[in-house]
Structure formats: structure tokens, C-alpha cells
Amino acid sequence: MNQNKTKGLLFAILGSVLWGGSGTAAQFVFHHQSIDPIWLVGVRLLTAGSLLIVYSFLKNGRKIFTIFYTKSNILWLILFALLGMVPSQLTYFLAIKFGNAATATILQFMGPLFIILALAVGSRTLPRRIDVISILVALIGTLLLVTKGNLGSLALAPLAVFWGLMAGVGQANYTLIPRRLLKNFDAALVTGWAMLIGSIPFAKIIITNRPASIDPASILFVGGTMLSYLFYLSSLNYLKPDTTGMLSSFEPLTATLLSILLLGVHFGLAETIGGLLILTTSFLQALPTRKKIV
């Protein structure tokens, strides 16, 4: 294994681990302190977005403003911010508030399922065989996760399940909407501007609802967010996107382990199997498809 690939693997794993850690920190903050998740999401968008724009400016200078030169770019950027970035962030942390970081992060991994369905509808074609298998595996996993194997009742609060699934939808929007922008602009730049634009609706609540004190969990939440973006984006310089996608499974694994060890969240056999099945879909989607021999 060459040095660049090793560096890429390290960056991708560190980024995912920090994402998982920030989710667990958010769970502690929501469940043990009177901090509004909407305020915390606004702070996350503002701070991480600012960091990415500074990073992009140091790398590319005034070229960071070229994305605003055409009306179509501005429109897609606003759509990405308000329909992709904000929903993916807000639904995820509402799922944590009403449930826990482990299940919220795992349910967010339903995103590929919604992407498969959206692309199939948009192209008016049937999903591939591997896509159908992925959907069935994800549905079985979700059923086990939210019922703990007792199919007659929900083991999670209905709002936790709802916002967790919406986090998956948000993740799909986050992936699909900016595709046109990402063909012409750097991912860090697109993400940074989208975060800053997405933080605008939160401006009033950020200013007026500041907590009385900031504890280590809140610092870990914000710091983990910023560093995770930088590590993840840096990994893309050395690895293929499908490889980083598979390594992102370290995020729910980290969130689950930290929730169990630090916050006393209990995961039984059914939830564990369900979570693993959902994570498996990422690996199924990375499998190469056979080409027909003519």
C-alpha cells in the first residue's frame, strides 16, 4: 500500500470517527442540558461553513466567488443549502433528540435506498438486481432496529423513527442536488457556501438563544464537525468516492460504541443485526456489476 493511499484511509476513518463522536456529544447535550437542537445545528452550519470557506480561500484565493457569476449556479447553491444541507443536518439531530445517536446515525444510512428509488423514478428504469437486494436488506435491517425483533410494536419513539428516516431522505437530497455544481467547483467550496447560506435562517436563534455556558460536549460537537469535514474532504484527494463511502461506516459504529460505553444506550441482538444489515447496503452498492458478454 503506497503512502498516499494510507494517508487517504487515515483521513477518511478519522473524519467518520469524528462525525460519530460529534453525534454522541450532541445526544449528551440534548438529553442532559437545555440546549435547543435548532440552535446547535445553526452553530454547526455557521462554524463549519466558515472554516471551509477560509480553507478554500487559502487554497484558491478570489476564485471562491466565481460560483456566484451565473444565476443558475446561485439557484442550485440555494437549493442545495435549503433542500439538502439544512434538512440533512436538522433531521439528523432531531432524530438524536427524540432517540439516540446510534440509531439516528444508522437510520441516516438509509440514504442510499432513497437515492436508488429517486434515480429509478427519474430515469424511468427498474433498479438493478443489486439495488433491489440492497433495498430488501435495508428494509429488514430497519424493521429489526426499530422493533428490536418484536414486530408488533416500535421499540423507539415514533418521532425518533420518523426523523431518522427523514435524515435518510435528507442525506439523499444532500447527495443528489449538488451534482451539477460539483462537476465545476471544488467540494469544499460548494459545501462551505451551502453551509453559510443554510445558516442564515438560524441567525436570529443563534444570537438570541445562546446557552449560559459551553461545556466539553458542546466543544466536541462543534470541533468534531469542523475537523471531520476537513479530514473527509482531504481523503478524496487520495481515494475513490466509493472507498470513502464504505469507510464512512465508521461513523455509525463510533456513535454506537460511544453511546453504549458513555451514555448507557442498550443494543440487543435484534438491533445489532438490524444495524449491520443497514450498513451492509453501502458495501453492496460498492460491488462491481457484471457486464453482459455479447
Side-chain angles (χ1 to χ4, degrees):
M1 186 182 297
N2 61 52
Q3 186 175 0
N4 285 340
K5 187 172 183 179
T6 301
K7 189 183 295 185
L9 291 172
L10 181 62
F11 284 159
I13 292 171
L14 281 175
S16 297
V17 168
L18 285 170
W19 266 120
S22 67
T24 306
Q27 178 182 337
F28 177 84
V29 168
F30 296 155
H31 291 185
H32 296 86
Q33 300 176 21
S34 57
I35 292 182
D36 187 350
I38 297 178
W39 178 87
L40 209 51
V41 168
V43 170
R44 183 185 208 192
L45 292 170
L46 180 62
T47 53
S50 299
L51 178 68
L52 287 173
I53 292 302
V54 170
Y55 169 80
S56 297
F57 181 78
L58 294 175
K59 184 179 178 181
N60 300 307
R62 295 183 179 180
K63 290 181 180 179
I64 64 171
F65 299 107
T66 58
I67 196 171
F68 297 105
Y69 286 1
T70 63
K71 292 182 179 179
S72 62
N73 286 341
I74 296 173
L75 175 61
W76 280 110
L77 192 58
I78 293 174
L79 289 175
F80 176 42
L82 300 182
L83 299 181
M85 182 66 71
V86 171
S88 69
Q89 301 277 322
L90 190 56
T91 55
Y92 173 59
F93 289 105
L94 286 173
I96 291 177
K97 177 183 179 181
F98 293 107
N100 58 70
T103 54
T105 308
I106 292 172
L107 287 173
Q108 189 184 39
F109 260 65
M110 293 285 286
L113 182 153
F114 296 112
I115 291 174
I116 291 169
L117 296 176
L119 292 177
V121 171
S123 63
R124 296 182 181 180
T125 59
L126 293 175
R128 301 170 302 164
R129 182 181 300 176
I130 194 67
D131 294 335
V132 175
I133 294 173
S134 297
I135 291 172
L136 292 176
V137 169
L139 290 176
I140 294 171
T142 303
L143 193 62
L144 289 174
L145 183 69
V146 303
T147 65
K148 294 187 177 182
N150 182 7
L151 303 183
S153 62
L154 287 176
L156 293 173
L159 282 176
V161 177
F162 173 77
W163 288 120
L165 292 175
M166 288 300 99
V169 175
Q171 188 68 17
N173 288 343
Y174 176 89
T175 303
L176 294 173
I177 293 175
R179 287 185 299 170
R180 180 177 299 184
L181 291 173
L182 292 174
K183 289 180 180 179
N184 301 307
F185 300 98
D186 183 67
L189 180 68
V190 174
T191 304
W193 281 125
M195 282 187 152
L196 284 182
I197 294 172
S199 70
I200 293 174
F202 298 88
K204 183 177 180 180
I205 193 170
I206 291 174
I207 296 171
T208 59
N209 289 16
R210 288 178 294 178
S213 61
I214 301 294
D215 61 13
S218 300
I219 295 174
L220 176 60
F221 172 81
V222 175
T225 294
M226 294 187 291
L227 289 175
S228 64
Y229 270 108
L230 285 181
F231 280 131
Y232 179 78
L233 291 170
S234 297
S235 73
L236 293 174
N237 294 322
Y238 309 103
L239 300 175
K240 295 180 180 179
D242 57 348
T243 303
T244 58
M246 288 189 292
L247 291 173
S248 66
S249 61
F250 276 88
E251 179 188 347
L253 293 176
T254 300
T256 300
L257 288 175
L258 291 178
S259 296
I260 293 172
L261 295 175
L262 301 179
L263 302 179
V265 174
H266 175 70
F267 254 59
L269 179 61
E271 303 100 291
T272 302
I273 294 175
L276 290 175
L277 286 174
I278 293 173
L279 298 182
T280 299
T281 59
S282 295
F283 295 90
L284 290 175
Q285 287 298 299
L287 292 175
T289 56
R290 289 184 179 179
K291 294 182 179 179
K292 293 182 178 180
I293 301 176
V294 180

